Amino acid sequence: MVNPQGEGSDQFGESDKGQPYEGQQQYPQYQNPQYQNPQYQNPQYQNPQYPYAGAGYQAPTPTNTLAIVSLVLAILGLTFLPLLASICAVVCGHISRGQIKRTGEGGSGLATAGLVIGYVSIALFVIIVAGIILFAVAASTSSTY
């Protein structure tokens, strides 16, 4: 496109460029002093990975794996593997409680539940086996009429 007034010519002079038109109000240039930093960093949040670090947020402590294993084995000791799983649950429960005290991990309640259920399961197994033996002995010594 060809400019009819000539190349680079302007109908307004260089001195008129910042001036308002007739009847037009000139508004002041607004500059926001808050966003003068070209990198747009907010000093309130120093670490972008954890935005709630300044608000009292703490990452949860990890749960001890042996405490979970102890509880699962204790439940298995009540249902499918009566004596073997219960003994393993008690052993894992004691080991995990020692690790929790040493390292400060979570899962103390799981380890305690595994211990209690494991000991109860062992006690029930012993009582049931003793009852079966006593019943068998009593049945063998009884006389028939």
Side-chain angles (χ1 to χ4, degrees):
M1 300 280 265
V2 176
N3 190 352
Q5 294 178 353
E7 182 109 5
S9 67
D10 194 0
Q11 64 180 350
F12 299 108
E14 287 294 321
S15 61
D16 294 337
K17 280 203 174 184
Q19 302 299 321
Y21 297 114
E22 246 180 68
Q24 182 184 13
Q25 216 179 34
Q26 183 172 6
Y27 296 103
Q29 293 280 338
Y30 177 73
Q31 293 181 359
N32 191 348
Q34 182 180 3
Y35 298 109
Q36 289 181 356
N37 190 351
Q39 296 170 353
Y40 302 108
Q41 292 179 350
N42 192 349
Q44 182 180 2
Y45 299 115
Q46 296 292 331
N47 192 350
Q49 289 180 333
Y50 304 106
Y52 300 110
Y57 176 77
Q58 291 181 348
T61 58
T63 304
N64 189 303
T65 306
L66 275 179
I68 298 170
V69 169
S70 172
L71 183 61
V72 170
L73 286 173
I75 293 171
L76 281 176
L78 280 175
T79 55
F80 297 113
L81 305 168
L83 188 62
L84 180 66
S86 299
I87 291 173
C88 292
V90 169
V91 170
C92 288
H94 281 293
I95 292 172
S96 67
R97 292 214 26 181
Q99 288 178 352
I100 289 169
K101 286 179 185 176
R102 211 173 31 253
T103 62
E105 290 178 314
S108 177
L110 296 174
T112 304
L115 282 171
V116 169
I117 295 172
Y119 278 127
V120 167
S121 178
I122 291 171
L124 284 174
F125 182 80
V126 169
I127 290 172
I128 290 172
V129 169
I132 291 173
I133 291 173
L134 286 175
F135 181 75
V137 169
S140 68
T141 60
S142 67
S143 62
T144 59
Y145 289 82

